Amino acid sequence: MTGQWNHKVFGVTGAGFNGLALEIFRIQYAENPVYRAFTDALGVQPDRVSHFTGIPFLPVSLFKTADIRTTTFVPAQVFESSGTTGMVPSRHPVKDISLYEESFLRGFELFYGPVTDWCILALLPSYLERKGSSLVYMADKLVQRCGHPSAGFYLDEFEPLAGVIRELENKQQKTLLLGVTFALLDFAAQCPIPLRHTVVMETGGMKGRRKEMIRREVHVLLKEAFGVSTVHSEYGMTELLSQAYSKGEGLFQTPPWMKVLARDEEDPLLVKEQGNGILNVIDLANIYSCSFIATDDAGRLHEDGGFKVLGRVDGSDLRGCSLLAV
């Protein structure tokens, strides 16, 4: 069963996306009690939906209060969102961790080439201090896969990290500095280093450590400190099993098994593939949970399939992966 889904999901093409999305929608309607109740409450009949824009998108907030599972299973892993102190975390029970591993590895290599070409340095202090982070799980596996002796995790050891980066720069080693935003800003302030062979990638997240900033402000500070022309970004969340990446200017692209749409703020059932709105995400890898998630991120869709995150919906929780943006 697992192999069959891995083949279907990660082999999907543009032409086959709609059919596979509808197939997964009907399975999740039949096998996910929470999603079925939500779909029924909207009056949507699965056999009458012919395009993925007509599929109901489950509010991401329900992961805080409900057990979102398709089929009955004992989780191989339970991921929890970070949020900030006092917030109720989202919980995502994962039946088949191989789906997540294949998704993030294929996604990374689609945009950045073989992971073995890289030395991956993870600056994720707030995430390492707690259990259940899907971001830490992904970073740990990528660190292992890259196989470089200098790869690894860092808390707030900025001087040792700076020393490692200088050595890698001297060797002209392709390096990825993957960091939560507040930690990257702290590192940039204390250890500005001119980078020529290192990609700086922020995952978002101030987590109450710094004032919220728009993405452009963050990127300006990081560009100045590291002498880079662009800052990359990763867009993911606890409730998903796939990520989108930006190689600059906050314009994200998705792998073929993931699609981002926009819903109307006044009429959430009105979903479109271009323009501004609140972001809905289709993640076909999320088979045993829910592949159709209505986020709390406002955004803009571009004609080439890319998207930008413009900020949070009023009243929604600031999450570990969020940055305010305009």
Side-chain angles (χ1 to χ4, degrees):
M1 183 73 170
T2 297
Q4 171 196 355
W5 279 118
N6 285 43
H7 177 73
K8 279 189 173 184
V9 168
F10 303 118
V12 73
T13 62
F17 187 93
N18 188 60
L20 185 56
L22 292 173
E23 180 182 355
I24 291 174
F25 164 49
R26 288 164 185 146
I27 290 171
Q28 291 182 342
Y29 176 82
E31 300 289 346
N32 186 324
V34 175
Y35 187 54
R36 181 168 61 251
F38 175 73
T39 301
D40 288 345
L42 294 177
V44 175
Q45 298 180 34
D47 59 353
R48 295 190 177 183
V49 177
S50 59
H51 193 263
F52 56 75
T53 52
I55 294 173
F57 287 79
L58 191 73
V60 71
S61 59
L62 286 180
F63 281 81
K64 296 175 181 291
T65 57
D67 190 37
I68 313 297
R69 305 188 197 203
T70 295
T71 72
T72 301
F73 59 86
V74 176
Q77 191 89 20
V78 177
F79 292 131
E80 288 194 2
S81 64
S82 53
T84 57
T85 303
M87 290 182 182
V88 177
S90 293
R91 299 183 80 255
H92 181 183
V94 178
K95 177 180 181 179
D96 180 6
I97 200 66
S98 77
L99 282 164
Y100 184 45
E101 292 181 356
E102 186 163 358
S103 179
F104 66 65
L105 182 61
R106 281 178 175 262
F108 180 88
E109 294 195 333
L110 177 67
F111 294 106
Y112 293 98
V115 69
T116 50
D117 289 348
W118 293 83
C119 176
I120 297 178
L121 308 175
L123 184 59
L124 304 170
S126 57
Y127 294 85
L128 288 172
E129 293 161 2
R130 64 179 182 82
K131 295 181 179 180
S133 166
S134 58
L135 177 60
V136 167
Y137 188 97
M138 177 181 78
D140 183 51
K141 294 298 181 182
L142 291 177
V143 164
Q144 292 177 35
R145 286 290 191 114
C146 83
H148 195 284
S150 297
F153 285 83
Y154 293 82
L155 283 167
D156 51 5
E157 312 100 324
F158 290 161
E159 286 301 334
L161 174 59
V164 168
I165 290 176
R166 290 189 186 99
E167 289 180 8
L168 294 168
E169 283 284 322
N170 288 337
K171 295 176 181 177
Q172 301 185 11
Q173 167 64 48
K174 282 176 63 175
T175 301
L176 174 66
L177 176 59
L178 173 71
V180 63
T181 303
F182 77 83
L184 284 176
L185 289 170
D186 289 346
F187 179 60
Q190 295 184 36
C191 302
I193 306 170
L195 301 177
R196 297 293 177 268
H197 307 285
T198 302
V199 168
V200 179
M201 180 183 291
E202 51 91 1
T203 67
M206 293 299 187
K207 290 184 57 59
R209 308 288 184 99
R210 282 172 169 256
K211 72 179 181 72
E212 290 293 330
M213 302 170 65
I214 64 172
R215 176 167 271 115
R216 186 166 58 247
E217 291 176 330
V218 170
H219 286 199
V220 166
L221 291 173
L222 295 178
K223 287 177 187 178
E224 290 177 350
F226 299 126
V228 294
S229 58
T230 59
V231 173
H232 295 215
S233 306
E234 180 259 358
Y235 180 85
M237 57 183 66
T238 300
E239 300 83 1
L240 302 175
L241 293 184
S242 301
Q243 301 77 32
Y245 289 99
S246 164
K247 291 190 174 183
E249 308 306 322
L251 180 61
F252 291 93
Q253 301 289 340
T254 61
W257 58 90
M258 183 183 186
K259 192 177 292 289
V260 175
L261 308 171
R263 69 184 185 275
D264 187 85
E265 190 170 2
E266 301 299 327
D267 181 4
L269 296 183
L270 180 59
V271 177
K272 54 190 177 181
E273 297 183 71
Q274 288 187 27
N276 290 5
I278 307 172
L279 299 181
N280 285 353
V281 179
I282 300 177
D283 178 10
L284 299 184
N286 216 9
I287 301 160
Y288 297 108
S289 177
C290 183
S291 291
F292 313 98
I293 302 296
T295 79
D296 294 324
D297 293 324
R300 177 182 300 123
L301 306 182
H302 287 238
E303 291 183 4
D304 64 354
F307 69 97
K308 286 191 173 185
V309 180
L310 302 180
R312 303 290 293 166
V313 177
D314 290 345
S316 64
D317 289 344
L318 285 174
R319 298 158 57 92
C321 64
S322 67
L323 270 181
L324 297 182
V326 294

